[in-house]
């Protein structure tokens, strides 16, 4: 069972942030982290205390470092750097789950992928928090247990995340389906 969100936020020093939105996986260009950061100005308009928790480990390749720097610059350029936390170390599973369980939604904003599935999204589902993905074929097996974003752009991601956060009934339905899927 997931740990108490309020208790985790207290322990992590995040109790003043609401909502907390996370991303999880390796820090690579096609993962859509740049677009998720680009969605934050819109999210912050409606939720000024929102926090984006990027639990994205750097992959041991220069392309990962370049993408990290590009995303850091976007956060500064768009004025959201104070609302974005980069956790770019590789964490043990329990540490990752602890952070994910402190969140209100976990977003997998992949832009494209040749992969047939995602291990990262399965960890997200394990946290038993609402999961948002882009509507790519690699996520099709999760139909009904994830909330699909209306597109891959920052605007579409922002709209989809806000739509889910503002719909407690949709969150409840997703939680129920996730529970059944996990069992």
């Amino acid at each position: 069972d997931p740990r108490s969100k309020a208790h985790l936020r207290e322990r992590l020093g995040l109790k003043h942030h609401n909502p907390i939105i996370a991303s999880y996986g390796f820090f690579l260009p096609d993962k859509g982290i740049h677009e998720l950061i680009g969605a934050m100005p819109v999210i912050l308009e409606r939720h000024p205390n929102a926090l984006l928790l990027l639990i994205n480990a750097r992959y041991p390749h220069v392309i990962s470092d370049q993408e990290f720097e590009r995303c850091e610059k976007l956060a500064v350029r768009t004025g959201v750097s104070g609302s974005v936390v980069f956790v770019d170390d590789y964490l043990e599973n329990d540490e990752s789950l602890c952070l994910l369980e402190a969140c209100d939604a976990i977003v997998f904003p992949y832009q494209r992928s040749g992969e047939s599935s995602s291990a990262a999204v399965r960890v997200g589902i394990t946290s038993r928090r609402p999961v948002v993905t882009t509507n790519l074929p690699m996520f099709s097996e999760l139909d009904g247990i994830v909330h699909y974003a209306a597109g891959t752009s920052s605007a579409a991601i922002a709209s989809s995340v806000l739509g889910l956060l503002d719909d407690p009934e949709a969150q409840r339905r997703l939680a129920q389906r996730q529970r059944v899927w996990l069992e």
Side-chain angles (χ1 to χ4, degrees):
D1 289 331
R3 293 163 270 211
S4 161
K5 187 175 11 177
H7 176 73
L8 288 171
R9 287 181 181 188
E10 177 78 31
R11 286 184 57 209
L12 294 167
L14 301 174
K15 66 180 182 177
H16 300 295
H17 297 283
N18 192 37
I20 298 177
I21 301 156
S23 176
Y24 177 76
F26 282 114
F27 220 113
L28 294 168
D30 289 343
K31 303 293 184 177
I33 301 164
H34 191 266
E35 287 74 13
L36 183 55
I37 293 169
M40 280 304 287
V42 174
I43 293 169
L44 287 164
E45 282 178 20
R46 190 170 312 159
H47 299 281
N49 293 322
L51 179 72
L52 178 57
L53 188 57
L54 298 173
I55 310 163
N56 299 99
R58 289 199 206 196
Y59 192 77
H61 191 279
V62 68
I63 195 164
S64 183
D65 294 331
Q66 291 169 340
E67 184 64 7
F68 179 86
E69 290 172 17
R70 185 172 88 105
C71 287
E72 236 181 2
K73 287 177 184 174
L74 177 64
V76 170
R77 189 172 64 250
T78 58
V80 301
S81 60
S83 299
V84 177
V85 174
F86 292 86
V87 181
D88 63 329
D89 292 325
Y90 187 84
L91 304 176
E92 295 296 324
N93 285 341
D94 194 51
E95 292 174 296
S96 296
L97 268 176
C98 179
L99 292 172
L100 293 172
E101 289 172 359
C103 297
D104 296 288
I106 304 159
V107 184
F108 296 87
Y110 290 29
Q111 298 297 293
R112 61 197 137 284
S113 178
E115 299 171 18
S116 60
S117 66
S118 166
V121 77
R122 283 169 172 67
V123 175
I125 292 168
T126 303
S127 74
R128 297 191 185 201
R129 300 299 184 240
V131 172
V132 177
T133 70
T134 46
N135 198 357
L136 298 182
M138 70 181 299
F139 297 122
S140 64
E141 68 180 347
L142 304 173
D143 191 28
I145 62 167
V146 299
H147 180 78
Y148 288 124
T152 58
S153 69
S154 293
I157 292 166
S159 175
S160 299
V161 168
L162 288 169
L164 180 61
L165 290 174
D166 293 342
D167 189 346
E169 180 57 26
Q171 292 176 44
R172 188 196 63 71
R173 285 191 311 269
L174 278 179
Q176 174 61 29
R177 291 181 195 137
Q178 284 176 337
R179 202 170 14 262
V180 170
W181 189 83
L182 286 167
E183 289 171 2

